[in-house]
Amino acid sequence: MGISISIMAFMFVTLIGVTVYEMLFDVDRTALNSKMDILIAVGVLLFAVLLQFLINYKYYSDLRNNEKVLQTKILADKSKSIDPVSLKGANFTKGYINRFEFIVDNIKFRVDEELYKSCKEGDKLIFSYAPKSKYLLNIEKSK
């Protein structure tokens, strides 16, 4: 997310910055001042890189520290659904994807088929989270 926001900020702020400079501050209105335009673009690029780092700071620190927080939760319910998907091919056939979900604390979590089959309602699950970003790393069955 940080990269996409930074790219959009770079494009729009550079466009606005160059336009404002050329319309209000440039003495020669017949030609573009390419040196100043490049300077504006480089300044905005540095700002976009800093913005990307600030947005993803928690993820970077989690990767650097290589830690995780474990929480034990109880499986309230599980569900299986079938989603239709159109497959691109010669005859545009339709396929289906099986979706396996656990419901824990009124939140649905998508899991793989193996974990889905090995657990039943009331089982204890171990959720692994990254400590700073709170990103869910793994779900496994408690032993």
Side-chain angles (χ1 to χ4, degrees):
M1 191 62 160
I3 291 174
S4 59
I5 290 174
S6 296
I7 289 171
M8 288 188 312
F10 172 72
M11 291 187 320
F12 291 123
V13 174
T14 301
L15 181 66
I16 291 169
V18 168
T19 303
V20 167
Y21 173 77
E22 293 295 336
M23 291 179 75
L24 299 178
F25 301 109
D26 195 11
V27 178
D28 183 16
R29 298 198 185 268
T30 59
L32 291 175
N33 186 351
S34 60
K35 288 182 183 178
M36 191 61 172
D37 296 343
I38 290 172
L39 187 62
I40 291 171
V42 168
V44 173
L45 179 64
L46 292 175
F47 168 75
V49 168
L50 178 66
L51 180 66
Q52 190 271 336
F53 178 75
L54 290 174
I55 290 173
N56 291 327
Y57 175 73
K58 290 180 180 179
Y59 297 108
Y60 292 146
S61 64
D62 283 337
L63 287 173
R64 183 178 58 240
N65 295 335
N66 197 19
E67 297 176 351
K68 61 182 175 180
V69 175
L70 303 176
Q71 289 184 351
T72 303
K73 299 182 180 186
I74 296 177
L75 176 61
D77 194 13
K78 60 184 198 174
S79 64
K80 177 183 174 183
S81 60
I82 299 173
D83 293 340
V85 176
S86 60
L87 303 172
K88 294 182 179 180
N91 55 4
F92 291 103
T93 59
K94 286 202 170 197
Y96 297 95
I97 294 177
N98 292 326
R99 180 181 294 176
F100 303 99
E101 297 172 330
F102 284 167
I103 300 172
V104 177
D105 297 335
N106 293 328
I107 301 172
K108 286 185 177 182
F109 296 95
R110 214 179 263 185
V111 296
D112 60 351
E113 184 177 4
E114 181 181 326
L115 182 62
Y116 179 83
K117 288 182 178 179
S118 68
C119 295
K120 60 183 185 292
E121 292 178 18
D123 283 351
K124 290 184 179 180
L125 301 172
I126 298 174
F127 285 71
S128 303
Y129 291 98
K132 292 187 180 180
S133 63
K134 307 294 187 223
Y135 186 77
L136 179 63
L137 301 172
N138 188 18
I139 301 174
E140 58 188 36
K141 184 178 177 179
S142 179
K143 296 178 182 171

